Coordinates of all heavy atoms in Angstrom, one line a residue:
I304 N 41.0 -5.6 -61.2 CA 41.6 -5.8 -59.9 C 43.1 -5.8 -60.1 O 43.6 -6.7 -60.7 CB 41.1 -7.1 -59.2 CG1 39.6 -6.9 -58.9 CG2 41.8 -7.3 -57.9 CD1 38.7 -7.8 -59.7
I305 N 43.7 -4.8 -59.6 CA 45.2 -4.6 -59.8 C 46.0 -4.7 -58.5 O 45.6 -4.0 -57.6 CB 45.4 -3.2 -60.5 CG1 44.5 -3.0 -61.7 CG2 46.9 -3.0 -60.8 CD1 44.4 -1.6 -62.1
D306 N 47.0 -5.6 -58.6 CA 47.9 -5.6 -57.4 C 49.3 -5.2 -57.9 O 49.6 -5.3 -59.1 CB 47.9 -6.9 -56.6 CG 48.5 -8.0 -57.4 OD1 49.7 -8.0 -57.6 OD2 47.8 -9.0 -57.8
Y307 N 50.1 -4.9 -56.9 CA 51.5 -4.4 -57.3 C 52.5 -5.3 -56.6 O 53.6 -4.8 -56.2 CB 51.6 -2.9 -56.8 CG 50.4 -2.1 -57.3 CD1 49.3 -2.0 -56.6 CD2 50.5 -1.4 -58.6 CE1 48.2 -1.2 -57.1 CE2 49.4 -0.7 -59.1 CZ 48.3 -0.6 -58.3 OH 47.2 0.1 -58.8
G308 N 52.2 -6.6 -56.6 CA 53.1 -7.5 -55.9 C 54.0 -8.2 -56.8 O 54.5 -7.7 -57.8
A309 N 54.3 -9.5 -56.5 CA 55.3 -10.3 -57.2 C 55.1 -10.6 -58.6 O 56.0 -10.8 -59.4 CB 55.6 -11.6 -56.4
G310 N 53.8 -10.6 -59.0 CA 53.4 -10.9 -60.4 C 53.5 -12.4 -60.7 O 53.8 -13.2 -59.8
I311 N 53.1 -12.8 -61.9 CA 53.1 -14.2 -62.3 C 53.9 -14.4 -63.6 O 53.8 -13.6 -64.5 CB 51.6 -14.6 -62.7 CG1 50.7 -14.3 -61.5 CG2 51.6 -16.1 -63.0 CD1 49.2 -14.4 -61.9
D312 N 54.7 -15.4 -63.6 CA 55.5 -15.7 -64.9 C 54.6 -15.9 -66.0 O 53.6 -16.7 -65.9 CB 56.4 -16.9 -64.6 CG 57.4 -17.1 -65.7 OD1 57.1 -16.9 -66.9 OD2 58.6 -17.4 -65.4
P313 N 54.8 -15.2 -67.2 CA 53.8 -15.3 -68.3 C 53.5 -16.8 -68.7 O 52.5 -17.1 -69.3 CB 54.4 -14.5 -69.4 CG 55.5 -13.7 -68.7 CD 55.8 -14.3 -67.4
I314 N 54.5 -17.7 -68.5 CA 54.3 -19.1 -69.0 C 53.1 -19.7 -68.3 O 52.5 -20.6 -68.8 CB 55.5 -20.0 -68.9 CG1 55.9 -20.1 -67.4 CG2 56.6 -19.6 -69.8 CD1 56.8 -21.3 -67.2
H315 N 52.7 -19.2 -67.1 CA 51.6 -19.8 -66.4 C 50.2 -19.2 -66.8 O 49.2 -19.8 -66.5 CB 51.8 -19.6 -64.9 CG 53.0 -20.2 -64.3 ND1 53.2 -21.6 -64.3 CD2 54.1 -19.7 -63.7 CE1 54.3 -21.8 -63.7 NE2 54.9 -20.7 -63.4
L316 N 50.2 -18.1 -67.4 CA 49.0 -17.3 -67.6 C 47.9 -18.2 -68.3 O 46.7 -18.2 -67.9 CB 49.2 -16.0 -68.3 CG 50.0 -15.0 -67.5 CD1 50.1 -13.6 -68.2 CD2 49.4 -14.8 -66.1
P317 N 48.2 -18.9 -69.4 CA 47.2 -19.6 -70.1 C 46.5 -20.7 -69.3 O 45.4 -21.1 -69.6 CB 47.9 -20.2 -71.4 CG 49.2 -19.5 -71.5 CD 49.5 -19.0 -70.1
R318 N 47.2 -21.2 -68.3 CA 46.6 -22.4 -67.6 C 46.0 -22.0 -66.2 O 45.6 -22.9 -65.4 CB 47.7 -23.4 -67.4 CG 48.2 -23.9 -68.7 CD 49.1 -25.1 -68.5 NE 48.4 -26.2 -67.9 CZ 48.9 -27.3 -67.5 NH1 50.2 -27.5 -67.6 NH2 48.2 -28.3 -66.9
L319 N 46.0 -20.7 -65.9 CA 45.7 -20.2 -64.5 C 44.3 -20.6 -64.0 O 44.1 -20.8 -62.8 CB 45.9 -18.7 -64.5 CG 46.6 -18.1 -63.3 CD1 47.9 -18.8 -63.1 CD2 46.8 -16.6 -63.5
T320 N 43.4 -20.8 -65.0 CA 42.0 -21.1 -64.6 C 41.7 -22.6 -64.6 O 40.6 -23.0 -64.3 CB 40.9 -20.3 -65.5 OG1 41.2 -20.8 -66.8 CG2 41.0 -18.8 -65.4
E321 N 42.7 -23.4 -64.8 CA 42.5 -24.9 -64.7 C 42.4 -25.3 -63.3 O 43.1 -24.7 -62.4 CB 43.7 -25.6 -65.4 CG 43.7 -25.6 -66.8 CD 45.0 -26.3 -67.4 OE1 45.6 -27.1 -66.7 OE2 45.3 -25.9 -68.6
R322 N 41.6 -26.3 -63.1 CA 41.4 -26.8 -61.7 C 42.8 -27.3 -61.1 O 43.5 -28.0 -61.8 CB 40.5 -28.0 -61.6 CG 39.1 -27.7 -62.1 CD 38.6 -29.0 -62.7 NE 37.2 -29.0 -63.0 CZ 36.6 -30.0 -63.5 NH1 37.2 -31.1 -63.7 NH2 35.3 -29.9 -63.8
F323 N 43.1 -26.9 -59.9 CA 44.3 -27.3 -59.2 C 45.6 -26.7 -59.8 O 46.7 -27.2 -59.4 CB 44.4 -28.8 -59.0 CG 43.3 -29.4 -58.2 CD1 42.4 -30.2 -58.8 CD2 43.1 -29.0 -56.9 CE1 41.3 -30.8 -58.1 CE2 42.0 -29.5 -56.2 CZ 41.1 -30.4 -56.7
Y324 N 45.5 -25.9 -60.8 CA 46.8 -25.3 -61.4 C 47.3 -24.2 -60.5 O 46.5 -23.3 -60.1 CB 46.5 -24.8 -62.8 CG 47.9 -24.4 -63.5 CD1 48.6 -25.4 -64.2 CD2 48.4 -23.2 -63.4 CE1 49.8 -25.1 -64.7 CE2 49.6 -22.9 -64.0 CZ 50.3 -23.9 -64.6 OH 51.5 -23.6 -65.2
R325 N 48.5 -24.3 -60.1 CA 49.1 -23.2 -59.3 C 50.4 -22.7 -59.9 O 51.2 -23.5 -60.3 CB 49.4 -23.8 -57.9 CG 48.2 -24.2 -57.1 CD 48.6 -25.2 -56.0 NE 47.6 -25.2 -55.0 CZ 46.9 -26.4 -54.7 NH1 47.1 -27.4 -55.4 NH2 46.0 -26.4 -53.7
A326 N 50.5 -21.4 -60.0 CA 51.7 -20.8 -60.6 C 52.9 -21.1 -59.6 O 54.0 -21.3 -60.0 CB 51.5 -19.4 -60.9
D327 N 52.6 -20.9 -58.3 CA 53.6 -21.1 -57.3 C 53.1 -22.1 -56.3 O 52.4 -21.7 -55.3 CB 53.9 -19.7 -56.7 CG 55.1 -19.8 -55.7 OD1 55.3 -20.9 -55.2 OD2 55.7 -18.8 -55.4
D328 N 53.3 -23.4 -56.5 CA 52.7 -24.4 -55.7 C 53.0 -24.2 -54.2 O 52.1 -24.3 -53.4 CB 53.2 -25.8 -56.2 CG 52.4 -26.9 -55.7 OD1 51.3 -27.0 -56.3 OD2 52.8 -27.6 -54.8
H329 N 54.2 -24.0 -53.9 CA 54.6 -23.9 -52.5 C 53.9 -22.8 -51.8 O 53.3 -22.9 -50.7 CB 56.1 -23.7 -52.4 CG 56.6 -23.6 -51.0 ND1 56.6 -24.7 -50.2 CD2 57.0 -22.5 -50.3 CE1 57.1 -24.3 -49.0 NE2 57.3 -23.0 -49.0
R330 N 53.9 -21.6 -52.5 CA 53.3 -20.4 -51.9 C 51.7 -20.6 -51.7 O 51.2 -20.3 -50.7 CB 53.6 -19.2 -52.8 CG 53.3 -17.9 -52.1 CD 54.0 -16.7 -52.8 NE 53.4 -15.5 -52.5 CZ 53.5 -14.9 -51.3 NH1 54.1 -15.5 -50.3 NH2 52.9 -13.8 -51.1
S331 N 51.1 -21.2 -52.7 CA 49.7 -21.4 -52.7 C 49.3 -22.3 -51.5 O 48.4 -22.0 -50.7 CB 49.2 -22.0 -54.0 OG 47.9 -22.6 -53.8
R332 N 50.1 -23.4 -51.3 CA 49.8 -24.3 -50.2 C 50.1 -23.6 -48.9 O 49.3 -23.8 -47.9 CB 50.6 -25.6 -50.4 CG 50.0 -26.4 -51.5 CD 50.8 -27.7 -51.8 NE 50.5 -28.2 -53.1 CZ 49.4 -29.0 -53.3 NH1 48.6 -29.2 -52.4 NH2 49.2 -29.4 -54.5
A333 N 51.2 -22.9 -48.8 CA 51.5 -22.3 -47.6 C 50.4 -21.2 -47.1 O 50.2 -21.0 -46.0 CB 52.9 -21.6 -47.7
L334 N 49.8 -20.6 -48.1 CA 48.8 -19.6 -47.8 C 47.4 -20.3 -47.7 O 46.4 -19.6 -47.7 CB 48.8 -18.6 -48.9 CG 50.0 -17.7 -49.0 CD1 50.1 -16.8 -50.2 CD2 50.1 -16.8 -47.7
G335 N 47.3 -21.6 -47.8 CA 46.1 -22.3 -47.6 C 45.2 -22.4 -48.9 O 44.0 -22.6 -48.8
G336 N 45.8 -22.1 -50.0 CA 45.0 -22.1 -51.3 C 44.5 -23.5 -51.7 O 45.2 -24.5 -51.4
T337 N 43.4 -23.6 -52.3 CA 42.8 -24.9 -52.8 C 43.2 -25.1 -54.3 O 43.0 -26.3 -54.8 CB 41.3 -25.0 -52.7 OG1 40.7 -24.0 -53.5 CG2 40.8 -24.8 -51.3
G338 N 43.6 -24.1 -55.0 CA 43.8 -24.2 -56.4 C 42.6 -24.3 -57.3 O 42.6 -24.5 -58.5
L339 N 41.4 -23.9 -56.6 CA 40.2 -24.0 -57.4 C 39.5 -22.6 -57.6 O 38.5 -22.5 -58.3 CB 39.2 -24.9 -56.6 CG 39.5 -26.4 -56.6 CD1 38.5 -27.2 -55.7 CD2 39.6 -27.0 -58.0
G340 N 40.1 -21.6 -56.9 CA 39.4 -20.3 -56.9 C 39.2 -19.7 -58.4 O 38.1 -19.3 -58.7
L341 N 40.2 -19.8 -59.2 CA 40.0 -19.2 -60.5 C 39.2 -20.1 -61.5 O 38.6 -19.6 -62.4 CB 41.4 -18.8 -61.1 CG 42.1 -17.7 -60.4 CD1 43.5 -17.5 -61.1 CD2 41.3 -16.4 -60.4
A342 N 39.2 -21.4 -61.2 CA 38.4 -22.3 -62.0 C 36.9 -22.0 -61.7 O 36.1 -21.9 -62.7 CB 38.6 -23.8 -61.6
I343 N 36.6 -21.7 -60.5 CA 35.2 -21.3 -60.1 C 34.9 -19.9 -60.8 O 33.8 -19.8 -61.4 CB 35.0 -21.2 -58.6 CG1 35.2 -22.5 -58.0 CG2 33.7 -20.5 -58.2 CD1 35.3 -22.5 -56.4
V344 N 35.8 -19.0 -60.8 CA 35.7 -17.7 -61.4 C 35.3 -17.9 -62.9 O 34.4 -17.3 -63.4 CB 36.9 -16.8 -61.2 CG1 37.0 -15.7 -62.2 CG2 37.0 -16.3 -59.8
K345 N 36.1 -18.7 -63.6 CA 36.0 -18.9 -65.0 C 34.5 -19.4 -65.4 O 33.9 -18.9 -66.3 CB 37.0 -19.9 -65.5 CG 36.9 -20.1 -67.0 CD 37.8 -21.2 -67.5 CE 37.1 -22.5 -67.2 NZ 37.9 -23.7 -67.6
H346 N 34.0 -20.4 -64.6 CA 32.7 -20.9 -64.9 C 31.6 -19.9 -64.7 O 30.7 -19.8 -65.4 CB 32.4 -22.1 -64.0 CG 33.1 -23.4 -64.6 ND1 32.7 -24.0 -65.7 CD2 34.2 -24.0 -64.1 CE1 33.5 -25.0 -65.9 NE2 34.4 -25.1 -65.0
I347 N 31.8 -19.1 -63.6 CA 30.7 -18.1 -63.3 C 30.7 -17.0 -64.5 O 29.7 -16.6 -65.0 CB 30.9 -17.4 -62.0 CG1 30.8 -18.4 -60.9 CG2 30.0 -16.2 -61.8 CD1 31.1 -17.9 -59.5
I348 N 31.9 -16.6 -64.9 CA 32.0 -15.6 -65.9 C 31.4 -16.2 -67.2 O 30.7 -15.5 -68.0 CB 33.5 -15.1 -66.1 CG1 33.8 -14.3 -64.8 CG2 33.6 -14.2 -67.3 CD1 35.2 -13.8 -64.8
N349 N 31.7 -17.4 -67.5 CA 31.1 -18.1 -68.7 C 29.6 -18.0 -68.7 O 29.0 -17.7 -69.6 CB 31.6 -19.5 -68.8 CG 33.0 -19.7 -69.3 OD1 33.6 -18.7 -69.8 ND2 33.5 -20.9 -69.3

Side-chain angles (χ1 to χ4, degrees):
I304 292 110
I305 307 166
D306 73 63
Y307 309 89
I311 306 167
D312 190 317
I314 58 161
H315 297 296
L316 296 183
R318 300 191 58 191
L319 226 50
T320 58
E321 285 177 22
R322 302 151 170 180
F323 298 117
Y324 190 86
R325 293 158 161 117
D327 183 340
D328 195 72
H329 178 73
R330 194 161 160 69
S331 162
R332 287 176 197 281
L334 294 169
T337 62
L339 293 174
L341 292 179
I343 294 170
V344 163
K345 184 188 74 178
H346 283 288
I347 297 177
I348 294 178
N349 283 350

